[in-house]
Amino acid sequence: MPGGLGGMDIYRASFDRKKFGEKELVRNVNSAGHDCFPYVMNDKVYFTSKAFNTIGGYDFFVLDNMEVKNLGEKLNSKFDDLAIMFLDEKTGYITSSRTTNGATDDIFEFRFVE
């Protein structure tokens, strides 16, 4: 898209029940590569990228206080980890090709335990 940083970019826009406002790139999230599948929870933007420092193909990242952090090996694998959705602070779902060696994407439930 004109004005983007590279492959796929993440934008935000207002919505007033009838139409969307102007598109704006989300700062610090976009790179020259592919950045996609944003999810917002508790003022943090979770997203997938292939351009930042990754463990495998696509990895999960979070933008927290304007700093991008990889979510680490507990959620990321050496294969494509694509979308994340939280049900609450400790549980949710991810899509990943980790158990099929990249052949297909599957849905996995996760639960953080202390």
Side-chain angles (χ1 to χ4, degrees), residues 46-69:
Y46 295 86
F47 65 101
T48 302
S49 181
K50 198 172 193 173
F52 291 91
N53 187 17
T54 66
I55 294 168
Y58 284 95
D59 275 1
F60 298 119
F61 292 86
V62 62
L63 176 65
D64 185 13
N65 291 321
M66 301 309 287
E67 183 180 349
V68 173
K69 299 176 188 173

Side-chain angles (χ1 to χ4, degrees), residues 86-101:
F86 289 89
L87 297 174
D88 56 40
E89 302 268 334
K90 295 185 179 187
T91 61
Y93 296 96
I94 62 169
T95 56
S96 175
S97 63
R98 65 185 63 204
T99 60
T100 63
N101 293 325

